[in-house]
Amino acid sequence: KERKAQHLLLDTDLSKCERMISLYDNLNALFEKAINEAYPDVVDPPVVISSSNNPKFGDYQCNSALPLCKLLSMEKTDAKKKVSPLDVAKNILSKVPSSPLIEKLDIAGAGFINIYLKREYGQNTLKNILKLGKVNPPPIYQPKTVLVDFSSPNVAKEMHVGHLRSTIIGESISRLLEFLGHKVLRINHIGDWGTQFGMLIAHLEDKFPNYSTESPPISDLQAFYKESKLRFDSDEEFKKRAYENVVKLQAHEPKIIHGWKLICDVSRKEFQNIYDRLDITLTERGESFYQDRMVAIVKELEEKGFLEEDEGRKIMWGNQKEGTIPLTIVKKDGGFTYDTSDMAAIKQRIFEEQAEWIIYVTDAGQATHFQIIVSCAERARIKLSHHRVDHVGFGVVLGEDKKKFKTRSGDTIKLSELLDEGLKRAEDKLREKERDKHLTEEEFRDAQRAIAYGCIKYADLCNNRAHEYVFSFDKMLQDKGNTAVYLLYARTRIRSIARTANVTQEQLKKAIEDTPISLEHEKEWKLAKVLLKFPDVIARVTKDLSLHTLCDFCYEIATTFTEFYDSCYCVEKNKTGEIVKVNMGRILLTEVTAMVLEQCFSILGLKPVEKM
Ligand code: ARG
């Protein structure tokens, strides 16, 4: 309903409409109207609109006649009055109001209504994009404050490929929602508080006794973590000191807090390095931020009678007990847990940040955790019905051997090293194609980075996120098929068409004013119709919070563009290679194709390059 109310722009003058309209919603509304008029007695009639995958059956189809006919014949027992789907289709067709979207309608087979779109609508819509100089988002019902909790690695423990997935997916979701006009808070819920700091600080004390005056040169925090864990597991005295440190940390003893900060700083630098390389924006707000709020939420839940004793622990059940588990709000030793911090966090987000929509991006393994958090937050009346919460879960990353992604020696792969390898592989690829001979050093490095980081992001996003995915540089660096490399090349090629035709910016501007986009040729029109799907694709991606649909759309644009370019000359040359004619109407089509593609790239985090 929300979407419908905003998308129906049928009364507006399409030639002035600044936003692309949803074809799906508009066709739906048209046919809903027609069906209601044709069959006023049927309550909630089925309105079935789908895009057609065979040009013989139009661009879209209305397949309501069959289910409607079934409904009608259930009511009519009198055999003589029985209607056929064909009759129903004819009846509906006669009631469809005229629309600037539709060229013609006809009926196929037993009663399918084929819908053919009007070229003029395509021309107007695409022209408006060129005139505006940008691709506007489809309208939203109401901008919301959305909090996206993503990346969220743990201090001193390794930031692994799972966190990389969360980082990539969370960034794209944030970009998508920002594009739509929502206010997005990008929160990095890092694990920066907890008992592991007891042993880390004990180890710090031994290795760098004067750490409070001199900054210790910890270069490899993972090794440092491993060393202290080893001592923790084997040395009783050390273990005791570690526990004492936890108590001191919680009491905010200055020297211990100083050590904690030092360790967090080392991690923070490592994380930031990855974020800078991948162009990720995040606000750090780790678990430590919620210390006081955890005390407060425990008190609140306790007072309201939500906590139950369970073998010394304090637990809380969600709205139902059956088939689930409770949260552990307070441990036996009085300490707090991951559950406690998430209860404090959801309250802070809803009450202080005024978040109306919270999105958690983590591995699918945490789905139950978030379900229970939400359920408990509902029980405690923290989350109300108008708050939306989504857990965006994803599958594990596998190595090419289909086993968990690890180094040969079985260690977790360091993300910085993974990115380095990506750069190296991208460089090899470019040299193999002898691009180093055609590009300046700077162009070469730009292309290298765009390919390396682009392919890592795209390989992650182009799969259904719910599935596990196999990390393979060989696969992601292929220049054929649905890969970042293919798309980056495609976009660079599209952008070079006007340039090689020597079309100046002035000429282009003038053409935008006075030349219609050429949509006569079947392949031109086919390309345009793909571009016109943009608002529906964005709506779908937003609904599912699944970016692979957008990746598929990019690929469809690129391949359809190739079809067009193969059969339609944009520039005609004579035998000596001189340009004799530039088809401006087609140049306009290439420009708008590039714009739509670039808008998708920006959501996916792909950096277009001028030359590659
Ligand atoms: N640090 C956690 C992990 O590494 C992810 C945190 C996700 N966010 C949250 N609010 N629990 O698995």
Side-chain angles (χ1 to χ4, degrees):
K1 281 264 163 57
E2 282 191 4
R3 269 183 57 211
K4 258 187 201 163
Q6 284 288 311
H7 274 269
L8 299 183
L9 300 166
L10 290 177
D11 305 332
T12 19
D13 179 356
L14 275 176
S15 66
K16 296 206 184 72
C17 188
E18 292 205 345
R19 290 174 192 263
M20 293 170 86
I21 58 158
S22 160
L23 272 170
Y24 181 80
D25 288 352
N26 279 287
L27 293 175
N28 214 73
L30 277 179
F31 278 84
E32 188 175 333
K33 196 158 182 263
I35 293 169
N36 279 329
E37 224 167 274
Y39 299 97
D41 299 336
V42 183
V43 192
D44 251 337
V47 183
V48 191
I49 303 291
S50 61
S51 66
S52 135
N53 35 26
N54 185 343
K56 257 188 14 207
F57 301 126
D59 302 314
Y60 286 78
Q61 283 183 312
C62 170
N63 300 335
S64 297
L66 234 67
L68 206 59
C69 188
K70 269 195 195 137
L71 274 180
L72 293 168
S73 41
M74 275 193 301
E75 284 163 14
K76 296 204 171 83
T77 37
D78 181 358
K80 269 186 222 149
K81 281 192 185 155
K82 274 211 170 125
V83 286
S84 71
L86 193 62
D87 298 329
V88 177
K90 280 183 187 157
N91 197 9
I92 299 174
L93 196 145
S94 72
K95 297 286 191 298
V96 178
S98 84
S99 159
L101 301 181
I102 299 176
E103 171 72 35
K104 64 167 186 181
L105 301 167
D106 58 30
I107 298 176
F112 304 106
I113 303 178
N114 301 332
I115 308 166
Y116 298 83
L117 296 177
K118 224 187 174 85
R119 282 175 164 77
E120 202 186 318
Y121 141 70
Q123 259 161 350
N124 280 330
T125 307
L126 300 181
K127 201 49 164 311
N128 282 337
I129 295 176
L130 290 170
K131 281 187 185 156
L132 282 167
K134 62 176 177 179
V135 181
N136 269 331
I140 48 173
Y141 177 66
Q142 204 177 43
K144 289 198 163 105
T145 300
V146 193
L147 190 143
V148 188
D149 174 326
F150 69 103
S151 193
S152 309
N154 302 314
V155 169
K157 293 189 196 155
E158 62 294 323
M159 180 173 177
H160 51 71
V161 281
H163 295 122
L164 181 65
R165 278 209 95 172
S166 172
T167 307
I168 292 169
I169 296 172
E171 172 71 27
S172 279
I173 289 180
S174 302
R175 286 170 180 239
L176 169 73
L177 298 176
E178 276 159 4
F179 170 61
L180 286 170
H182 294 294
K183 178 182 167 201
V184 179
L185 303 165
R186 302 145 158 263
I187 296 295
N188 197 1
H189 190 85
I190 62 172
D192 65 352
W193 199 248
T195 46
Q196 79 267 30
F197 284 97
M199 68 177 196
L200 287 166
I201 294 167
H203 192 49
L204 183 71
E205 285 167 333
D206 296 345
K207 259 194 115 168
F208 306 103
N210 47 357
Y211 73 86
S212 46
T213 48
E214 242 174 75
S215 227
I218 311 175
S219 59
D220 190 344
L221 199 54
Q222 275 174 57
F224 190 85
Y225 179 88
K226 272 192 185 163
E227 284 162 27
S228 55
K229 182 84 173 80
L230 217 67
R231 293 182 67 193
F232 185 83
D233 290 336
S234 60
D235 179 345
E236 277 308 311
E237 198 270 335
F238 182 83
K239 198 174 193 164
K240 215 178 118 215
R241 272 176 50 220
Y243 280 131
E244 284 162 11
N245 279 342
V246 176
V247 177
K248 288 181 192 165
L249 179 69
Q250 267 153 4
H252 284 239
E253 217 172 85
K255 196 173 168 217
I256 300 295
I257 287 285
H258 184 69
W260 168 74
K261 276 200 183 132
L262 284 174
I263 292 168
C264 289
D265 279 344
V266 181
S267 263
R268 183 172 297 124
K269 275 201 196 107
E270 282 177 16
F271 300 156
Q272 195 53 48
N273 180 276
I274 305 285
Y275 300 145
D276 288 344
R277 291 175 76 174
L278 294 178
D279 202 9
I280 308 289
T281 312
L282 270 159
T283 301
E284 183 187 318
R285 190 181 291 155
E287 291 175 25
S288 68
F289 171 87
Y290 301 97
Q291 290 169 77
D292 295 342
R293 290 173 179 82
M294 283 197 274
V295 176
I297 192 85
V298 172
K299 193 163 164 260
E300 178 184 334
L301 297 175
E302 182 107 72
E303 280 170 4
K304 290 189 177 157
F306 291 123
L307 301 189
E308 285 174 34
E309 284 288 322
D310 179 76
E311 297 177 5
R313 305 180 302 155
K314 286 182 187 159
I315 59 166
M316 176 171 179
W317 291 94
N319 279 319
Q320 63 176 61
K321 281 193 179 184
E322 248 147 87
T324 91
I325 45 167
L327 295 179
T328 298
I329 300 293
V330 184
K331 286 192 290 186
K332 223 169 164 174
D333 64 6
F336 298 150
T337 69
Y338 190 51
D339 296 349
T340 328
S341 68
D342 266 326
M343 282 306 285
I346 196 168
K347 169 135 196 206
Q348 192 273 344
R349 292 164 180 186
I350 291 177
F351 280 72
E352 294 176 51
E353 302 298 341
Q354 309 276 314
E356 299 159 283
W357 185 4
I358 300 173
I359 300 174
Y360 299 98
V361 188
T362 76
D363 59 280
Q366 297 196 43
T368 318
H369 166 75
F370 290 110
Q371 265 161 26
I372 306 172
I373 290 288
V374 170
S375 187
C376 286
E378 277 168 354
R379 229 189 119 195
R381 311 255 330 129
I382 293 169
K383 177 200 172 291
L384 304 178
S385 58
H386 67 277
H387 296 117
R388 172 173 170 187
V389 179
D390 283 291
H391 175 241
V392 169
F394 50 80
V396 285
V397 184
L398 302 177
E400 281 177 275
D401 54 3
K402 299 270 164 78
K403 292 199 186 111
K404 226 173 166 185
F405 196 43
K406 295 257 159 143
T407 61
R408 283 214 187 108
S409 59
D411 284 333
T412 317
I413 290 170
K414 260 202 161 163
L415 290 191
S416 57
E417 284 165 17
L418 192 75
L419 299 189
D420 290 343
E421 188 180 345
L423 282 177
K424 170 87 189 43
R425 299 274 203 123
E427 176 166 357
D428 294 348
K429 189 96 198 171
L430 285 165
R431 288 195 194 283
E432 190 186 298
K433 298 183 144 216
E434 303 198 322
R435 299 317 295 157
D436 49 330
K437 302 209 172 94
H438 303 280
L439 302 177
T440 66
E441 175 69 16
E442 203 189 318
E443 286 166 346
F444 186 86
R445 293 297 162 205
D446 279 348
Q448 180 192 10
R449 275 190 297 267
I451 291 176
Y453 303 147
C455 81
I456 293 175
K457 291 181 190 175
Y458 194 81
D460 194 318
L461 298 171
C462 75
N463 291 299
N464 183 332
R465 62 174 161 76
H467 302 163
E468 54 190 30
Y469 101 90
V470 175
F471 193 99
S472 158
F473 274 123
D474 287 337
K475 253 177 92 185
M476 61 179 85
L477 283 167
Q478 273 167 13
D479 46 22
K480 288 199 185 69
N482 190 1
T483 67
V485 183
Y486 172 75
L487 291 177
L488 286 167
Y489 269 117
R491 183 264 167 200
T492 303
R493 204 171 338 110
I494 297 172
R495 275 295 184 200
S496 72
I497 294 168
R499 200 173 49 224
T500 33
N502 297 323
V503 176
T504 64
Q505 281 307 310
E506 279 69 52
Q507 286 169 318
L508 207 56
K509 251 195 203 146
K510 191 166 170 293
I512 290 172
E513 289 310 319
D514 62 20
T515 311
I517 297 180
S518 178
L519 296 185
E520 283 317 308
H521 194 283
E522 171 217 343
K523 297 291 182 190
E524 295 168 337
W525 183 215
K526 183 175 177 189
L527 174 60
K529 281 184 290 192
V530 173
L531 301 176
L532 293 171
K533 287 200 288 189
F534 179 77
D536 284 331
V537 171
I538 291 292
R540 169 89 191 276
V541 177
T542 311
K543 183 168 160 280
D544 302 340
L545 296 175
S546 204
L547 277 309
H548 69 275
T549 310
L550 191 60
C551 296
D552 292 345
F553 180 59
C554 287
Y555 187 57
E556 192 183 357
I557 294 177
T559 50
T560 316
F561 182 86
T562 307
E563 269 183 54
F564 149 75
Y565 198 59
D566 285 349
S567 34
C568 302
Y569 288 112
C570 292
V571 178
E572 279 171 43
K573 293 180 183 170
N574 64 13
K575 284 193 195 100
T576 56
E578 242 179 298
I579 297 171
V580 288
K581 197 183 149 207
V582 175
N583 186 326
M584 268 306 201
R586 285 182 180 162
I587 295 282
L588 293 179
L589 184 56
T590 68
E591 290 292 305
V592 72
T593 305
M595 287 174 73
V596 175
L597 202 51
E598 283 158 15
Q599 183 51 58
C600 298
F601 279 14
S602 121
I603 294 170
L604 297 170
L606 297 186
K607 276 229 167 81
V609 275
E610 278 336 298
K611 282 189 179 166
M612 65 187 280

